[in-house]
Amino acid sequence: MISKRVFPDPQRFAVCAPDGLPIKEYYKNVFEEIFVFYHPFIKPESIDYELFKPDTYPNRNEIRGNCVVVTWKQFLTLSGIENFRKLDVGLRTNINSLREEYQDENIARMIQNTCRDKKIGEPTEGLFPYLIMDNLLKGIKALGHNWIWCGNEFATERKLTFIDDIITDNNLLDQCKNLFTNDHHLLITTHWDSHFSLLCSGKSTVDQLVNDCNLEGFYCTDRTEIYWSLSQNN
C-alpha cells in the first residue's frame, strides 16, 4: 500500500509569501525588511502599440530595446485615478483576480481607456518586469553576488544561475518566479496574479537597492498582506 505523500513546508527564503497573513509575519526571523515594488506600465517608442496583445506580445529583448517605463505615479496623473490602492484594484479587476464584491469596473475601464488613448501597455502580472530587472540584478551583483538561484513558484525546482546570463538572455527571466542568493539573505519574488514583486533582505540592503535602482513602491508594515489594496490597515 502506498502511503500518503505530504508536501513539505516551503523554505521561506525561497518563495513568495502566501495571501491571508501579513507578509512580514511570514518572513519573520528570515528577512528583516520587505519592499513591495510595482511593475511599471510600458510605453512603446519604436514598436507598434498594437503588438501588446496575447498573440503578438513583444519578447523581453523587444521591450528592453524599444520601450520605456511609465511609473504608477505617472499613470495616476494620466488617468485621473485617485491613488495606488485603486490602481491596484483596477489592474486586478482587469485580470479577474478578485471576487466580484472587491472588483472596481469603473477604475478598470479608466485603466483600459488611458492605455488605449496614450498607447501604453499594462504591467505584467506574475512575471518579473523586464524594464527594471536588469538594474536590480546589476545592483545585486554590486553587493558581491555573481550567482543567484532561479526557482519556480514553490521553489521545488531551482537552478544556480550566473546573474550575467539572466541579464543577457532573452528568455531566462521568464522561467524564474523566485530569485534568491546562495547565502539566503536576499529574495526577489513575484506573486502569480499581482502586478508587483517583493524585495526581501536586511534593511540596509533593501534600502540600498531601492535607492540605487529607483524602485517604485512601499515598505511593508507589520499588517501589509499580498492583497494590500483591499485594506486600509497597511
Side-chain angles (χ1 to χ4, degrees), residues 27-218:
Y27 290 121
K28 185 177 181 180
N29 299 323
V30 179
F31 297 118
E32 177 186 18
E33 192 72 88
I34 296 95
F35 187 82
V36 174
F37 64 92
Y38 306 139
H39 297 179
F41 289 81
I42 304 166
K43 175 67 174 178
E45 289 194 317
S46 50
I47 56 175
D48 194 340
Y49 165 71
E50 297 301 326
L51 292 173
F52 284 80
K53 297 177 181 177
D55 292 339
T56 58
Y57 201 88
N59 62 36
R60 185 182 178 201
N61 282 344
E62 290 169 336
I63 289 177
R64 288 189 293 187
N66 300 283
C67 302
V68 295
V69 161
V70 175
T71 66
W72 284 31
K73 182 177 180 180
Q74 290 169 331
F75 195 84
L76 292 184
T77 300
L78 292 171
S79 64
I81 295 171
E82 185 177 347
N83 56 47
F84 295 133
R85 292 180 187 275
K86 290 187 176 182
L87 179 54
D88 185 66
V89 169
L91 289 169
R92 290 184 181 279
T93 300
N94 275 335
I95 63 168
N96 298 311
S97 72
L98 296 176
R99 294 200 298 267
E100 186 174 356
E101 62 265 32
Y102 297 122
Q103 294 177 11
D104 192 323
E105 294 291 349
N106 181 55
I107 298 296
R109 283 192 296 271
M110 291 175 71
I111 294 171
Q112 293 169 3
N113 292 340
T114 302
C115 285
R116 181 195 65 224
D117 295 344
K118 303 297 183 181
K119 292 183 168 42
I120 295 171
E122 291 190 26
T124 55
E125 80 277 0
L127 291 173
F128 290 123
Y130 297 154
L131 288 176
I132 61 176
M133 285 303 294
D134 286 0
N135 283 340
L136 187 49
L137 289 166
K138 289 174 183 176
I140 294 171
K141 278 192 63 181
L143 295 174
H145 302 281
N146 289 314
W147 296 82
I148 199 163
W149 287 94
C150 172
N152 63 1
E153 183 177 359
F154 299 107
T156 54
E157 296 181 2
R158 60 187 71 171
K159 181 179 180 181
L160 188 60
T161 308
F162 201 54
I163 290 180
D164 282 343
D165 291 342
I166 302 176
I167 294 173
T168 58
D169 189 274
N170 187 34
N171 301 306
L172 188 54
L173 187 64
D174 287 347
Q175 302 170 28
C176 306
K177 301 297 183 182
N178 298 286
L179 293 163
F180 55 96
T181 55
N182 197 54
D183 59 10
H184 304 164
H185 289 168
L186 187 149
L187 166 70
I188 308 171
T189 181
T190 190
H191 184 254
W192 68 276
D193 69 348
S194 297
H195 302 80
F196 56 82
S197 296
L198 307 179
L199 170 62
C200 314
S201 190
K203 179 171 176 52
S204 61
T205 299
V206 172
D207 288 347
Q208 181 176 338
L209 289 171
V210 168
N211 292 327
D212 290 352
C213 302
N214 198 28
L215 299 180
E216 183 188 32
F218 62 92

